[in-house]
Amino acid sequence: MWVYLNDRFVPKEEAVVSVFDHGFLYGDGVFETMRAYQGRVLQLSEHLMRLGRSASSLQLPLPASPSHLAELVRASLTRNSLQEATVRVTVSRGEGDIGLDPALCKRPTLVIIAQPFQPYPPSLYEEGVSVIVVHTRRNLAEAVPPHVKSLNFLNNILAKMEAKAAGAYEGLLLNHAGAVTEGTTSNIFLVQRGRLRTPSLDCGILEGITRSLVLRLARELSIPSEERVVTADDLFNADECFLTNTTQEILPVREIDGRVLADGRPGPMTRRLHTSFRSGLDRFLDRV
Ligand code: PLP
């Protein structure tokens, strides 16, 4: 496996970063996870735009222009002969003396890892997954902003550990006001009386690339959708519920906090959106 590190491809074993890197020392940096289908990344420019927005929120200069980064992502797939793949792009503040001041770091560290996509068990999609509402609350937007996909993922990790300890597939985090935000690595949608609902951005969430795509597909399919405050009660009373993210696409939720939704099977709207997502994928894939 070849990993792109700063300015060249190196074998995986040589892809090492300094112990003085502020990404390692302080979680100071940003990242993106993308998925490639038949050698082409889905929504590559959207992912790179979000990387740019995350970086600028941290006043972190990207080490390359979006078009150069796009070339490097494509080159990572080619170099590793990958068709079905995940690609992780990480940009950290870089190497510098110990201390919080970003000025201690002279140049950001860039890492691009392209790996074969590991398919999820089909049973997850056929049966749906169980989720719980965790006690860990989503970071305050005024503290560690959830719209920034940063290397500081402890909020999500704490929630993930809670979910795992409870035997749940995913943990849902509430915000400080008790409204539903998102999963540890996913956005959440519910369906009630034919309407699609998802927490609005001001609830304090990551603006998922898959979330935006699902909202777009809903518009194209004339499915009414709304972004608004969602409560845990809304979820319990939903006809359908599903999670979205780049690697898992659209994943049905079977039960929430031990309460089975509807008949316990993935619902028709969830299946319709996933079918439309898969059949329309080509439109959103990067050029070859
Ligand atoms: N929310 C969080 C906290 C995430 O970490 C992720 C992805 O990892 C998502 C939502 C889904 O985002 P996307 O659809 O861009 O993968």
Side-chain angles (χ1 to χ4, degrees):
M1 181 204 281
W2 293 90
V3 174
Y4 192 83
L5 176 60
N6 290 327
D7 55 0
R8 71 196 63 158
F9 282 102
V10 294
K12 178 185 172 187
E13 298 69 32
E14 291 169 29
V16 288
V17 171
S18 164
V19 293
F20 290 97
D21 195 290
H22 280 212
F24 174 71
L25 289 174
Y26 303 116
D28 187 355
V30 295
F31 75 102
E32 280 295 318
T33 302
M34 312 175 193
R35 182 165 165 189
Y37 300 80
Q38 293 144 31
R40 296 160 68 196
V41 174
L42 184 70
Q43 302 213 284
L44 177 58
S45 54
E46 285 78 2
H47 277 286
L48 292 177
M49 280 191 298
R50 187 171 66 185
L51 186 75
R53 289 198 300 276
S54 294
S56 87
S57 295
L58 305 185
Q59 298 175 43
L60 167 61
L62 283 187
S65 67
S67 61
H68 188 203
L69 285 173
E71 285 306 330
L72 294 174
V73 167
R74 292 181 195 115
S76 301
L77 292 172
T78 313
R79 185 77 176 221
N80 290 290
S81 309
L82 290 170
Q83 293 286 307
E84 306 302 311
T86 55
V87 185
R88 160 136 177 174
V89 178
T90 307
V91 179
S92 80
R93 190 73 68 177
E95 187 179 344
D97 282 345
I98 288 177
L100 299 189
D101 187 354
L104 292 166
C105 308
K106 294 295 165 260
R107 75 170 186 166
T109 301
L110 169 64
V111 178
I112 305 178
I113 303 171
Q115 288 179 301
F117 175 69
Q118 303 294 340
Y120 292 90
S123 58
L124 295 184
Y125 297 89
E126 287 153 11
E127 294 161 22
V129 298
S130 69
V131 303
I132 61 162
V133 177
V134 295
H135 294 288
T136 305
R137 295 282 170 125
R138 191 72 176 114
N139 284 328
L140 275 177
E142 296 80 5
V144 183
H147 73 270
V148 177
K149 199 164 166 70
S150 82
L151 296 184
N152 207 307
F153 240 52
L154 265 188
N155 186 211
N156 316 49
I157 291 166
L158 291 172
K160 178 75 186 175
M161 289 193 298
E162 256 192 76
K164 194 175 172 199
Y169 185 82
E170 176 62 302
L172 300 176
L173 296 98
L174 306 180
N175 65 16
H176 64 286
V180 174
T181 61
E182 58 188 335
T184 62
T185 54
S186 58
N187 291 112
I188 185 151
F189 284 81
L190 64 89
V191 179
Q192 186 123 51
R193 287 184 290 279
R195 297 183 77 81
L196 196 58
R197 289 187 185 152
T198 193
S200 47
L201 299 181
D202 59 10
C203 292
I205 61 170
L206 182 74
E207 185 171 6
I209 304 295
T210 323
R211 173 186 181 278
S212 301
L213 191 49
V214 165
L215 289 170
R216 175 175 173 164
L217 292 175
R219 277 195 299 278
E220 290 176 6
L221 295 168
S222 302
I223 296 169
S225 64
E226 46 191 20
E227 299 171 65
R228 49 161 244 184
V229 170
V230 170
T231 65
D233 271 348
D234 291 332
L235 292 181
F236 298 140
N237 294 315
D239 300 323
E240 301 177 36
C241 180
F242 59 86
L243 305 170
T244 61
N245 80 13
T246 294
T247 51
Q248 299 177 102
E249 304 172 344
I250 295 176
L251 190 58
V253 170
R254 185 186 62 248
E255 60 179 73
I256 304 170
D257 280 353
R259 303 182 211 193
V260 174
L261 294 180
D263 64 358
R265 310 282 308 160
M269 177 92 84
T270 307
R271 284 188 274 114
R272 185 176 175 211
L273 282 165
H274 202 182
T275 304
S276 150
F277 178 96
R278 291 232 120 218
S279 60
L281 215 56
D282 204 55
R283 289 189 287 159
F284 307 111
L285 294 178
D286 183 36
R287 66 166 178 78
V288 185

